[in-house]
Amino acid sequence: MNDSYLNFVNSPFGARFVRALGLPSPEVLRRYRADQPEFEGLVAIGAGRAPHLLDALASLVVSIGVTSVAHESAGLWVPLAQRHGLMTGRFEPAEAGSPGKLAALLFDASGIEDSSQLQPLHGFFHDTLRSLGKCGRIVVLGRPPQACASPRQWTAQRALEGLTRSLGKEARRGITANLVYIAQGAEHDIEATLRFFLSPRSAYVSGQVVTIDTSAARDTSDTSNTRNTGNARPLTTPAFDWAQPLAGRRAVVTGAARGIGASIASVLAAEGAHVIGIDIPSARDALDATLRQLNGTALAFDIAAPEAPAQIAAALDEQGVDIIVHNAGITKDKTIAKMTDAMWQSVIDINLGAQERIDDALLGAGILRDGGRIIAVSSISGIAGNRGQTNYATSKAGVIGRVQSMAPHLQARGITINAVAPGFIETQMTAKIPLTLREAGRRMNSMSQGGQPVDVAQTIAWLAHPGSGGISGQVVRVCGQSLIGA
């Protein structure tokens, strides 16, 4: 769907007009394109006291091929970078304010153990933020507060959330800011997540907090037709190609005929997966057309039908699957006083109950392989609620509950389960919203614009990635850091 205001403010006349009136001026976001470099430019490194993650960051910088500069807070970076064979220099405070000089800011706060040690955060971002270019990236690294050894350390690490979310709201210009908590022992499992947050793939993901643990990461390199034996495999990082990380894997996407579902299917296929798309029989033509372009497999089932889980399991049984994306959903909006029982029940049944029944069937039969991925589409309505959507918000909050409650039960099989919660995404559904509400939905976030279906798809692809095995039971909002549900 076309955003006329976004196009206007990025024209020469429009830019002058909105500047004069002090109106929102959203940036055209840089999104991933296969014909453009994914990583480029200078990355500034900062650190608090006794940083634990600089070595892992050095490995990342080598892997993605960018050039780094060290802020004075990261005094250990230069000799460490040199040992890794990196080209590096020092960021001089006099350079602050040079627009576009930096592509990303990385700060290692993992060693901060007391609120009195938070000062280096101010020094680093005070010096560097004005040098961060359009659509730049900010990533802060810390330790999970719940795993901290003392209340003071917990306090200081929890404080990083307020800092990161505020940076996302201050920076503007299409810049994102996210916080990654890394558990001890998971230091070498961070690359897939940092690549995502540093790349154009995360264009509409900001103000998020993600924890990487070791408990869910298991070897998923064996994609044979074997069923689960109940024996946990050793914790390892699976081998994969960064260009095609899902090669050899099979992914199921419900609601795949069009919109967000079609975009999810397309991105997963581009990452190497064989995609099995599911949609209702009345959407069969659109489903066939979508999957034909991807060399995928189309299955026409009504997921709300009682027999659907068994039919889906039978269709997938011969080869099994590695990834399940629960995208299918409906809305039937009314205030609860005007909502019929049928409107309530159909939304709960399709958006939530169908996910439970399908997973029960595929997990019970071992069709979802050990080391697999379950990703469910929730909504910021399930976090903040929404007038006229009690049924929808209830179903989407239930999706979050499923993810959080099932994660520990799936851990023994190395299966992760996570949710994405989209905000205002430009789709056929949002195009039908009245103009004033549609404009409010677009502008009430740090990006001052709606997201695209591909933003949801890229986030799902990251959670489906074989290098994301340390992420489970979590909810990631794809909302441009919406003011609703923040």
Side-chain angles (χ1 to χ4, degrees):
M1 184 168 56
N2 186 46
D3 184 343
S4 300
Y5 180 79
L6 176 67
N7 297 332
F8 173 70
V9 302
N10 283 282
S11 67
F13 172 75
R16 292 194 301 271
F17 182 81
V18 299
R19 213 165 30 240
L21 295 181
L23 297 174
S25 183
E27 187 72 36
V28 175
L29 301 183
R30 179 177 175 244
R31 291 183 167 89
Y32 172 75
R33 287 179 46 176
D35 62 345
Q36 294 181 352
E38 188 166 2
F39 306 101
E40 57 185 350
L42 278 175
V43 176
I45 308 292
R49 68 170 296 278
H52 304 151
L53 302 169
L54 289 183
D55 193 65
L57 287 183
S59 297
L60 170 76
V61 170
V62 170
S63 179
I64 65 177
V66 294
T67 303
S68 66
V69 290
H71 183 260
E72 62 181 2
S73 63
L76 296 174
W77 177 258
V78 173
L80 177 64
Q82 290 172 345
R83 286 202 300 273
H84 282 263
L86 287 170
M87 294 286 293
T88 193
R90 293 189 180 275
F91 181 86
E92 299 298 334
E95 298 171 329
S98 304
K101 177 178 177 59
L102 300 174
L105 308 178
L106 279 169
F107 190 94
D108 181 357
S110 60
I112 294 176
E113 297 181 346
D114 190 279
S115 60
S116 64
Q117 299 166 0
L118 293 169
Q119 191 281 331
L121 289 158
H122 169 266
F124 176 71
F125 289 109
H126 174 272
D127 290 348
T128 60
L129 187 58
R130 285 172 293 176
S131 296
L132 189 57
K134 293 179 180 180
C135 299
R137 297 289 182 261
I138 299 169
V139 181
V140 178
L141 308 178
R143 293 298 195 188
Q146 296 84 347
C148 288
S150 70
R152 284 183 176 272
Q153 185 185 14
W154 181 319
T155 300
Q157 290 293 321
R158 180 59 177 79
L160 300 176
E161 296 189 26
L163 166 86
T164 308
R165 290 189 169 121
S166 295
L167 287 171
K169 292 178 178 179
E170 286 187 9
R172 300 292 181 173
R173 295 180 297 147
I175 293 168
T176 66
N178 294 284
L179 171 61
V180 182
Y181 285 129
I182 300 163
Q184 289 194 13
E187 291 84 358
H188 298 292
D189 298 321
I190 68 175
E191 185 168 353
T193 295
L194 293 189
R195 278 175 171 259
F196 174 70
F197 282 128
L198 290 172
S199 81
R201 298 176 190 270
S202 59
Y204 203 62
V205 180
S206 188
Q208 299 308 289
V209 180
V210 173
T211 298
I212 302 177
D213 207 342
T214 58
S215 57
R218 296 191 183 278
D219 185 357
T220 61
S221 56
D222 178 8
T223 55
S224 66
N225 298 339
T226 56
R227 293 288 183 259
N228 174 43
T229 62
N231 297 320
R233 284 176 279 188
L235 296 174
T236 71
T237 300
F240 52 82
D241 178 355
W242 285 109
Q244 291 259 289
L246 302 181
R249 288 165 171 78
R250 290 164 54 83
V252 173
V253 180
T254 67
R258 55 178 64 90
I260 292 175
S263 186
I264 295 167
S266 177
V267 170
L268 295 181
E271 302 245 314
H274 177 85
V275 178
I276 302 103
I278 298 176
D279 218 312
I280 55 178
S282 61
R284 182 67 195 244
D285 289 346
L287 180 67
D288 285 344
T290 297
L291 273 298
R292 190 181 305 116
Q293 293 178 349
L294 307 176
N295 294 318
T297 301
L299 299 176
F301 294 120
D302 179 357
I303 62 169
E307 65 276 10
Q311 290 175 333
I312 293 170
L316 301 174
D317 183 65
E318 184 177 345
Q319 292 181 283
V321 295
D322 306 281
I323 300 160
I324 302 172
V325 181
H326 293 292
N327 166 71
I330 62 170
T331 58
K332 291 185 180 294
D333 296 352
K334 288 284 185 183
T335 58
I336 198 164
K338 298 179 180 179
M339 185 181 296
T340 66
D341 182 69
M343 293 170 70
W344 171 276
Q345 192 55 45
S346 62
V347 171
I348 299 295
D349 194 44
I350 292 173
N351 295 3
L352 179 58
Q355 293 189 20
E356 294 176 306
R357 295 190 295 271
I358 291 170
D359 282 351
D360 285 348
L362 300 188
L363 289 167
I367 293 169
L368 177 63
R369 300 189 185 103
D370 288 7
R373 304 281 188 266
I374 301 173
I375 303 114
V377 177
S378 179
S379 168
I380 61 170
S381 292
I383 298 171
N386 203 14
R387 185 181 185 277
Q389 287 195 319
T390 51
N391 51 359
Y392 185 76
T394 299
S395 70
K396 294 302 186 177
V399 169
I400 293 172
R402 269 192 84 234
V403 163
Q404 294 171 335
S405 62
M406 286 184 66
H409 297 283
L410 297 173
Q411 180 179 321
R413 291 180 56 183
I415 296 171
T416 67
I417 179 168
N418 295 286
V420 296
F424 187 95
I425 305 296
E426 304 280 2
T427 63
Q428 291 180 344
M429 182 177 72
T430 54
K432 298 175 183 177
I433 297 173
L435 177 62
T436 54
L437 293 177
R438 187 165 71 240
E439 282 301 300
R442 283 172 170 160
R443 310 306 163 207
M444 292 180 63
N445 59 73
S446 295
M447 302 295 169
S448 296
Q449 61 191 282
Q452 298 294 327
V454 71
D455 298 323
V456 179
Q458 291 287 6
T459 306
I460 287 172
W462 156 56
L463 292 170
H465 196 287
S468 297
I471 303 169
S472 194
Q474 299 183 50
V475 182
V476 180
R477 288 183 289 126
V478 186
C479 62
Q481 198 176 11
S482 175
L483 304 182
I484 299 172

